[in-house]
Amino acid sequence: MSFPKTFSWGAASASYQIEGGAFEDGKGLSIWDSYSHRPGKTFNGHNGDISCDAYHRFEEDLDLMQELGIRNYRFSLSWARIIPDGSGQVNQAGLDYYDKLVNGCLMRNITPWITLYHWDLPRALYLKGGWLNRDTSHAFARYASIVAKHFSVRVKHFMTINEPQCVIGLGHLDAVHAPGTRLGDEDMFLSWHHLLLAHGLAVKAIRAAIPKASIGLASTGKLGYTSRKDIPSPEDLSRASFYTSREEASGNYYFNHQWLLDPVCLGHYPKDPVSPCYPYARKVKAEDLRTISAPIDFIGLNIYNGFEMEAAAPDPGTDDREDRKQAEAEPEHQPKTKRKQEEALAYVPVDKYPGYPRTALKWPVTPEVLYWGPRLIYERYGLPMVIAENGQSCNDRIFLDEEVHDPDRIDFLHRYLLELKAAVEEGIPVTGYFHWSFTDNLEWHSGYDDRFGLIYIDYRNLQRIPKDSAQWYSRIIRGNGSDL
Ligand code: NOJ
């Protein structure tokens, strides 16, 4: 057995990262349009004014996609292109652009997967408080409804929000992404909650317009894995992965799957008294949680790397079973110390060895996470999944023979996809895989310095050059993974 015939092989992108056309045809400004123009915010002042110019060159990109046999395209819509101020009049020219894009996909037998929000909030809404303002959730629901009604006959697959973890963690905590604010714990949680509310309201709006839609969202976060697949108690690994993820995310507490997927899939925020969000999460109204947990059809997972864990040596001196039991029965319970709580974990993170493999962005290369990630998420939430993003940044360049050779990326993909294949063969329901990204693009605050694409963009002239990895991926897709 290998990947099922229905497996969706695809590639992904996002509006601000590829489109350009930032000020054309009535588009409103987004928070990224203003943030990237603020001095010192992005690498060498790079911005998305022109980017890959997909706004004008999407046909060429779709042609390449078709030639490579990529049959699923995940892209996001620019909210401000469709509704310039986020909540008012619809900009017909904006819808026209996405009409051409969607029709272009369908004509080439490429299935469009629409992401509604990939970080480019209309600036007008930011000026009214952005995600701190509950009205933004309702404006998002209206936008979702307009889009869903418009595309109801042509598009079936939707993701509401891409990586809420980064929207809050990078945009409102670390302040390295737009809007670049640093909120205190209470306001950060409020923004987080409104983002989740926006998701839930949008699910309802899409479902109302397209009853048979397949709806998800894209989650990211740290995930633990082990090098063995036959460990006796994966639930211990899952628990350890959850507790350790906040440490691994160095203080960015939101950078884990549970704070997003517990409310979305289980209808409650995690009972985690150590978290700074917990005091606020406890007070959320049941009605909001019902909205947030409107049933979805799949979980999108953006997985790039994880952290290795190993079975902890038993420590006879530490017995906090009582503490753990009490914490389960009584969420308010404060473990004696955080350290003590973690000592009870059956798995602990393994130190990275000197010279461990890394990508150009210095992210660790950890293929096993593409087996363990879906497995742990499935065990916790029981929903089908798609890998909504996976890939690596390389220092790609044009070689003397005028081709772009990227053996690193091929090796990365080969290793990760073998792990994914093992998960699928064990019956873990991963139904699709999207490579991040289709073309090189604006890597947010890192600008054009980091290249994730299967297609190289020469930013001097916007020429597209398929890299070796594009041909490799094409072969894997054509064989439905049998060549791995
Ligand atoms: C996640 C984000 O969704 C995407 O926009 C970004 O470019 C990739 N990860 C790589 O950092």
Side-chain angles (χ1 to χ4, degrees), residues 172-198:
H172 297 79
L173 171 63
D174 296 342
V176 293
H177 276 192
T181 53
R182 284 180 205 274
L183 300 178
D185 288 343
E186 184 169 8
D187 286 349
M188 213 155 50
F189 179 75
L190 201 61
S191 306
W192 177 258
H193 183 64
H194 291 157
L195 205 53
L196 268 57
L197 203 58

PDB file of all heavy atoms in Angstrom, residues 172-198:
ATOM      1  N   HIS A 172       2.211  40.027  17.311  1.00  0.00           N
ATOM      2  CA  HIS A 172       1.758  40.777  18.487  1.00  0.00           C
ATOM      3  C   HIS A 172       2.557  40.481  19.747  1.00  0.00           C
ATOM      4  O   HIS A 172       2.281  41.043  20.801  1.00  0.00           O
ATOM      5  CB  HIS A 172       0.282  40.472  18.775  1.00  0.00           C
ATOM      6  CG  HIS A 172      -0.641  40.897  17.668  1.00  0.00           C
ATOM      7  ND1 HIS A 172      -0.809  40.164  16.516  1.00  0.00           N
ATOM      8  CD2 HIS A 172      -1.435  41.983  17.531  1.00  0.00           C
ATOM      9  CE1 HIS A 172      -1.674  40.776  15.718  1.00  0.00           C
ATOM     10  NE2 HIS A 172      -2.070  41.878  16.309  1.00  0.00           N
ATOM     11  N   LEU A 173       3.512  39.547  19.630  1.00  0.00           N
ATOM     12  CA  LEU A 173       4.318  39.227  20.815  1.00  0.00           C
ATOM     13  C   LEU A 173       5.799  39.511  20.527  1.00  0.00           C
ATOM     14  O   LEU A 173       6.409  40.378  21.125  1.00  0.00           O
ATOM     15  CB  LEU A 173       4.100  37.753  21.198  1.00  0.00           C
ATOM     16  CG  LEU A 173       5.004  37.148  22.265  1.00  0.00           C
ATOM     17  CD1 LEU A 173       4.798  37.846  23.591  1.00  0.00           C
ATOM     18  CD2 LEU A 173       4.714  35.648  22.435  1.00  0.00           C
ATOM     19  N   ASP A 174       6.346  38.798  19.534  1.00  0.00           N
ATOM     20  CA  ASP A 174       7.748  39.054  19.175  1.00  0.00           C
ATOM     21  C   ASP A 174       7.897  40.334  18.350  1.00  0.00           C
ATOM     22  O   ASP A 174       9.006  40.868  18.216  1.00  0.00           O
ATOM     23  CB  ASP A 174       8.311  37.891  18.340  1.00  0.00           C
ATOM     24  CG  ASP A 174       8.349  36.599  19.140  1.00  0.00           C
ATOM     25  OD1 ASP A 174       8.275  36.686  20.377  1.00  0.00           O
ATOM     26  OD2 ASP A 174       8.443  35.521  18.537  1.00  0.00           O
ATOM     27  N   ALA A 175       6.811  40.777  17.760  1.00  0.00           N
ATOM     28  CA  ALA A 175       6.787  42.025  16.976  1.00  0.00           C
ATOM     29  C   ALA A 175       7.772  42.006  15.809  1.00  0.00           C
ATOM     30  O   ALA A 175       8.384  43.020  15.490  1.00  0.00           O
ATOM     31  CB  ALA A 175       7.034  43.234  17.878  1.00  0.00           C
ATOM     32  N   VAL A 176       7.931  40.863  15.172  1.00  0.00           N
ATOM     33  CA  VAL A 176       8.797  40.816  13.980  1.00  0.00           C
ATOM     34  C   VAL A 176       7.971  40.728  12.694  1.00  0.00           C
ATOM     35  O   VAL A 176       8.518  40.703  11.592  1.00  0.00           O
ATOM     36  CB  VAL A 176       9.805  39.639  14.040  1.00  0.00           C
ATOM     37  CG1 VAL A 176      10.811  39.860  15.156  1.00  0.00           C
ATOM     38  CG2 VAL A 176       9.105  38.286  14.194  1.00  0.00           C
ATOM     39  N   HIS A 177       6.662  40.587  12.835  1.00  0.00           N
ATOM     40  CA  HIS A 177       5.748  40.592  11.689  1.00  0.00           C
ATOM     41  C   HIS A 177       4.736  41.716  11.890  1.00  0.00           C
ATOM     42  O   HIS A 177       4.518  42.160  13.027  1.00  0.00           O
ATOM     43  CB  HIS A 177       4.987  39.271  11.612  1.00  0.00           C
ATOM     44  CG  HIS A 177       5.722  38.174  10.906  1.00  0.00           C
ATOM     45  ND1 HIS A 177       5.107  37.005  10.538  1.00  0.00           N
ATOM     46  CD2 HIS A 177       7.000  38.068  10.482  1.00  0.00           C
ATOM     47  CE1 HIS A 177       5.992  36.230   9.927  1.00  0.00           C
ATOM     48  NE2 HIS A 177       7.159  36.846   9.883  1.00  0.00           N
ATOM     49  N   ALA A 178       4.080  42.096  10.792  1.00  0.00           N
ATOM     50  CA  ALA A 178       3.013  43.100  10.915  1.00  0.00           C
ATOM     51  C   ALA A 178       1.927  42.571  11.865  1.00  0.00           C
ATOM     52  O   ALA A 178       1.668  41.372  11.850  1.00  0.00           O
ATOM     53  CB  ALA A 178       2.403  43.361   9.531  1.00  0.00           C
ATOM     54  N   PRO A 179       1.315  43.414  12.670  1.00  0.00           N
ATOM     55  CA  PRO A 179       1.511  44.860  12.723  1.00  0.00           C
ATOM     56  C   PRO A 179       2.691  45.287  13.594  1.00  0.00           C
ATOM     57  O   PRO A 179       2.932  46.484  13.735  1.00  0.00           O
ATOM     58  CB  PRO A 179       0.193  45.349  13.337  1.00  0.00           C
ATOM     59  CG  PRO A 179      -0.258  44.227  14.216  1.00  0.00           C
ATOM     60  CD  PRO A 179       0.192  42.966  13.540  1.00  0.00           C
ATOM     61  N   GLY A 180       3.399  44.332  14.185  1.00  0.00           N
ATOM     62  CA  GLY A 180       4.611  44.679  14.930  1.00  0.00           C
ATOM     63  C   GLY A 180       4.342  45.269  16.295  1.00  0.00           C
ATOM     64  O   GLY A 180       5.091  46.111  16.767  1.00  0.00           O
ATOM     65  N   THR A 181       3.271  44.808  16.932  1.00  0.00           N
ATOM     66  CA  THR A 181       2.973  45.316  18.272  1.00  0.00           C
ATOM     67  C   THR A 181       3.380  44.279  19.323  1.00  0.00           C
ATOM     68  O   THR A 181       3.530  43.099  19.015  1.00  0.00           O
ATOM     69  CB  THR A 181       1.467  45.599  18.444  1.00  0.00           C
ATOM     70  OG1 THR A 181       0.753  44.417  18.077  1.00  0.00           O
ATOM     71  CG2 THR A 181       1.007  46.728  17.559  1.00  0.00           C
ATOM     72  N   ARG A 182       3.556  44.746  20.540  1.00  0.00           N
ATOM     73  CA  ARG A 182       3.834  43.832  21.657  1.00  0.00           C
ATOM     74  C   ARG A 182       2.719  44.010  22.670  1.00  0.00           C
ATOM     75  O   ARG A 182       2.654  45.034  23.352  1.00  0.00           O
ATOM     76  CB  ARG A 182       5.150  44.195  22.338  1.00  0.00           C
ATOM     77  CG  ARG A 182       6.377  43.776  21.564  1.00  0.00           C
ATOM     78  CD  ARG A 182       7.631  44.179  22.336  1.00  0.00           C
ATOM     79  NE  ARG A 182       8.744  44.329  21.430  1.00  0.00           N
ATOM     80  CZ  ARG A 182       9.522  43.327  21.040  1.00  0.00           C
ATOM     81  NH1 ARG A 182       9.302  42.111  21.476  1.00  0.00           N
ATOM     82  NH2 ARG A 182      10.516  43.547  20.205  1.00  0.00           N
ATOM     83  N   LEU A 183       1.869  43.031  22.735  1.00  0.00           N
ATOM     84  CA  LEU A 183       0.729  43.148  23.647  1.00  0.00           C
ATOM     85  C   LEU A 183       1.029  42.441  24.964  1.00  0.00           C
ATOM     86  O   LEU A 183       1.810  41.489  25.004  1.00  0.00           O
ATOM     87  CB  LEU A 183      -0.510  42.517  23.005  1.00  0.00           C
ATOM     88  CG  LEU A 183      -0.989  43.127  21.680  1.00  0.00           C
ATOM     89  CD1 LEU A 183      -2.207  42.368  21.149  1.00  0.00           C
ATOM     90  CD2 LEU A 183      -1.335  44.604  21.869  1.00  0.00           C
ATOM     91  N   GLY A 184       0.370  42.895  25.990  1.00  0.00           N
ATOM     92  CA  GLY A 184       0.456  42.193  27.275  1.00  0.00           C
ATOM     93  C   GLY A 184      -0.387  40.921  27.211  1.00  0.00           C
ATOM     94  O   GLY A 184      -1.156  40.718  26.261  1.00  0.00           O
ATOM     95  N   ASP A 185      -0.250  40.082  28.217  1.00  0.00           N
ATOM     96  CA  ASP A 185      -0.906  38.762  28.191  1.00  0.00           C
ATOM     97  C   ASP A 185      -2.417  38.841  27.934  1.00  0.00           C
ATOM     98  O   ASP A 185      -2.969  38.085  27.151  1.00  0.00           O
ATOM     99  CB  ASP A 185      -0.691  38.041  29.527  1.00  0.00           C
ATOM    100  CG  ASP A 185       0.752  37.569  29.657  1.00  0.00           C
ATOM    101  OD1 ASP A 185       1.452  37.507  28.631  1.00  0.00           O
ATOM    102  OD2 ASP A 185       1.164  37.284  30.799  1.00  0.00           O
ATOM    103  N   GLU A 186      -3.057  39.794  28.594  1.00  0.00           N
ATOM    104  CA  GLU A 186      -4.518  39.836  28.492  1.00  0.00           C
ATOM    105  C   GLU A 186      -4.954  40.228  27.075  1.00  0.00           C
ATOM    106  O   GLU A 186      -5.825  39.595  26.476  1.00  0.00           O
ATOM    107  CB  GLU A 186      -5.086  40.822  29.514  1.00  0.00           C
ATOM    108  CG  GLU A 186      -6.601  40.822  29.506  1.00  0.00           C
ATOM    109  CD  GLU A 186      -7.203  41.581  30.675  1.00  0.00           C
ATOM    110  OE1 GLU A 186      -6.444  42.246  31.421  1.00  0.00           O
ATOM    111  OE2 GLU A 186      -8.442  41.512  30.825  1.00  0.00           O
ATOM    112  N   ASP A 187      -4.309  41.258  26.529  1.00  0.00           N
ATOM    113  CA  ASP A 187      -4.685  41.714  25.188  1.00  0.00           C
ATOM    114  C   ASP A 187      -4.279  40.699  24.125  1.00  0.00           C
ATOM    115  O   ASP A 187      -4.950  40.539  23.107  1.00  0.00           O
ATOM    116  CB  ASP A 187      -4.031  43.065  24.884  1.00  0.00           C
ATOM    117  CG  ASP A 187      -4.712  44.185  25.652  1.00  0.00           C
ATOM    118  OD1 ASP A 187      -5.790  43.922  26.236  1.00  0.00           O
ATOM    119  OD2 ASP A 187      -4.179  45.298  25.680  1.00  0.00           O
ATOM    120  N   MET A 188      -3.179  40.028  24.392  1.00  0.00           N
ATOM    121  CA  MET A 188      -2.754  39.017  23.431  1.00  0.00           C
ATOM    122  C   MET A 188      -3.784  37.894  23.375  1.00  0.00           C
ATOM    123  O   MET A 188      -4.149  37.414  22.323  1.00  0.00           O
ATOM    124  CB  MET A 188      -1.404  38.456  23.853  1.00  0.00           C
ATOM    125  CG  MET A 188      -0.567  38.088  22.683  1.00  0.00           C
ATOM    126  SD  MET A 188       1.139  38.159  23.155  1.00  0.00           S
ATOM    127  CE  MET A 188       1.136  37.207  24.641  1.00  0.00           C
ATOM    128  N   PHE A 189      -4.253  37.510  24.544  1.00  0.00           N
ATOM    129  CA  PHE A 189      -5.261  36.457  24.549  1.00  0.00           C
ATOM    130  C   PHE A 189      -6.539  36.929  23.863  1.00  0.00           C
ATOM    131  O   PHE A 189      -7.165  36.172  23.112  1.00  0.00           O
ATOM    132  CB  PHE A 189      -5.591  35.962  25.965  1.00  0.00           C
ATOM    133  CG  PHE A 189      -6.656  34.909  25.904  1.00  0.00           C
ATOM    134  CD1 PHE A 189      -6.350  33.625  25.479  1.00  0.00           C
ATOM    135  CD2 PHE A 189      -7.978  35.225  26.170  1.00  0.00           C
ATOM    136  CE1 PHE A 189      -7.339  32.666  25.332  1.00  0.00           C
ATOM    137  CE2 PHE A 189      -8.976  34.269  26.028  1.00  0.00           C
ATOM    138  CZ  PHE A 189      -8.657  32.980  25.612  1.00  0.00           C
ATOM    139  N   LEU A 190      -6.882  38.198  24.088  1.00  0.00           N
ATOM    140  CA  LEU A 190      -8.093  38.728  23.464  1.00  0.00           C
ATOM    141  C   LEU A 190      -7.964  38.650  21.938  1.00  0.00           C
ATOM    142  O   LEU A 190      -8.891  38.227  21.238  1.00  0.00           O
ATOM    143  CB  LEU A 190      -8.270  40.184  23.904  1.00  0.00           C
ATOM    144  CG  LEU A 190      -9.663  40.763  23.794  1.00  0.00           C
ATOM    145  CD1 LEU A 190     -10.626  39.978  24.677  1.00  0.00           C
ATOM    146  CD2 LEU A 190      -9.641  42.237  24.234  1.00  0.00           C
ATOM    147  N   SER A 191      -6.810  39.035  21.418  1.00  0.00           N
ATOM    148  CA  SER A 191      -6.597  38.972  19.971  1.00  0.00           C
ATOM    149  C   SER A 191      -6.666  37.531  19.487  1.00  0.00           C
ATOM    150  O   SER A 191      -7.241  37.224  18.445  1.00  0.00           O
ATOM    151  CB  SER A 191      -5.225  39.540  19.594  1.00  0.00           C
ATOM    152  OG  SER A 191      -5.082  40.825  20.123  1.00  0.00           O
ATOM    153  N   TRP A 192      -6.051  36.668  20.257  1.00  0.00           N
ATOM    154  CA  TRP A 192      -6.071  35.241  19.917  1.00  0.00           C
ATOM    155  C   TRP A 192      -7.517  34.735  19.839  1.00  0.00           C
ATOM    156  O   TRP A 192      -7.926  34.078  18.878  1.00  0.00           O
ATOM    157  CB  TRP A 192      -5.292  34.471  20.997  1.00  0.00           C
ATOM    158  CG  TRP A 192      -5.275  32.999  20.839  1.00  0.00           C
ATOM    159  CD1 TRP A 192      -6.026  32.087  21.520  1.00  0.00           C
ATOM    160  CD2 TRP A 192      -4.462  32.235  19.936  1.00  0.00           C
ATOM    161  NE1 TRP A 192      -5.730  30.815  21.107  1.00  0.00           N
ATOM    162  CE2 TRP A 192      -4.767  30.881  20.133  1.00  0.00           C
ATOM    163  CE3 TRP A 192      -3.505  32.580  18.981  1.00  0.00           C
ATOM    164  CZ2 TRP A 192      -4.161  29.860  19.415  1.00  0.00           C
ATOM    165  CZ3 TRP A 192      -2.895  31.557  18.261  1.00  0.00           C
ATOM    166  CH2 TRP A 192      -3.220  30.225  18.483  1.00  0.00           C
ATOM    167  N   HIS A 193      -8.263  35.086  20.855  1.00  0.00           N
ATOM    168  CA  HIS A 193      -9.649  34.617  20.940  1.00  0.00           C
ATOM    169  C   HIS A 193     -10.469  35.154  19.753  1.00  0.00           C
ATOM    170  O   HIS A 193     -11.258  34.420  19.149  1.00  0.00           O
ATOM    171  CB  HIS A 193     -10.235  35.057  22.279  1.00  0.00           C
ATOM    172  CG  HIS A 193     -11.625  34.566  22.501  1.00  0.00           C
ATOM    173  ND1 HIS A 193     -11.920  33.219  22.605  1.00  0.00           N
ATOM    174  CD2 HIS A 193     -12.811  35.219  22.613  1.00  0.00           C
ATOM    175  CE1 HIS A 193     -13.224  33.074  22.776  1.00  0.00           C
ATOM    176  NE2 HIS A 193     -13.786  34.272  22.779  1.00  0.00           N
ATOM    177  N   HIS A 194     -10.253  36.410  19.408  1.00  0.00           N
ATOM    178  CA  HIS A 194     -11.008  36.987  18.284  1.00  0.00           C
ATOM    179  C   HIS A 194     -10.633  36.330  16.956  1.00  0.00           C
ATOM    180  O   HIS A 194     -11.468  36.178  16.066  1.00  0.00           O
ATOM    181  CB  HIS A 194     -10.775  38.503  18.202  1.00  0.00           C
ATOM    182  CG  HIS A 194     -11.410  39.227  19.356  1.00  0.00           C
ATOM    183  ND1 HIS A 194     -10.996  40.462  19.768  1.00  0.00           N
ATOM    184  CD2 HIS A 194     -12.433  38.867  20.184  1.00  0.00           C
ATOM    185  CE1 HIS A 194     -11.737  40.854  20.799  1.00  0.00           C
ATOM    186  NE2 HIS A 194     -12.609  39.897  21.071  1.00  0.00           N
ATOM    187  N   LEU A 195      -9.387  35.945  16.867  1.00  0.00           N
ATOM    188  CA  LEU A 195      -8.945  35.248  15.657  1.00  0.00           C
ATOM    189  C   LEU A 195      -9.661  33.892  15.538  1.00  0.00           C
ATOM    190  O   LEU A 195     -10.115  33.493  14.466  1.00  0.00           O
ATOM    191  CB  LEU A 195      -7.431  35.048  15.789  1.00  0.00           C
ATOM    192  CG  LEU A 195      -6.556  34.887  14.587  1.00  0.00           C
ATOM    193  CD1 LEU A 195      -6.750  35.997  13.592  1.00  0.00           C
ATOM    194  CD2 LEU A 195      -5.076  34.894  15.047  1.00  0.00           C
ATOM    195  N   LEU A 196      -9.771  33.222  16.657  1.00  0.00           N
ATOM    196  CA  LEU A 196     -10.441  31.917  16.658  1.00  0.00           C
ATOM    197  C   LEU A 196     -11.940  32.067  16.420  1.00  0.00           C
ATOM    198  O   LEU A 196     -12.560  31.246  15.734  1.00  0.00           O
ATOM    199  CB  LEU A 196     -10.174  31.186  17.979  1.00  0.00           C
ATOM    200  CG  LEU A 196      -8.955  30.267  17.964  1.00  0.00           C
ATOM    201  CD1 LEU A 196      -7.691  31.009  17.583  1.00  0.00           C
ATOM    202  CD2 LEU A 196      -8.785  29.577  19.301  1.00  0.00           C
ATOM    203  N   LEU A 197     -12.468  33.145  16.979  1.00  0.00           N
ATOM    204  CA  LEU A 197     -13.886  33.432  16.762  1.00  0.00           C
ATOM    205  C   LEU A 197     -14.120  33.697  15.267  1.00  0.00           C
ATOM    206  O   LEU A 197     -15.096  33.218  14.676  1.00  0.00           O
ATOM    207  CB  LEU A 197     -14.255  34.676  17.574  1.00  0.00           C
ATOM    208  CG  LEU A 197     -15.690  34.875  17.958  1.00  0.00           C
ATOM    209  CD1 LEU A 197     -16.216  33.706  18.774  1.00  0.00           C
ATOM    210  CD2 LEU A 197     -15.808  36.159  18.816  1.00  0.00           C
ATOM    211  N   ALA A 198     -13.200  34.447  14.671  1.00  0.00           N
ATOM    212  CA  ALA A 198     -13.295  34.734  13.237  1.00  0.00           C
ATOM    213  C   ALA A 198     -13.300  33.429  12.461  1.00  0.00           C
ATOM    214  O   ALA A 198     -14.088  33.232  11.526  1.00  0.00           O
ATOM    215  CB  ALA A 198     -12.111  35.597  12.799  1.00  0.00           C
TER     216      ALA A 198
END
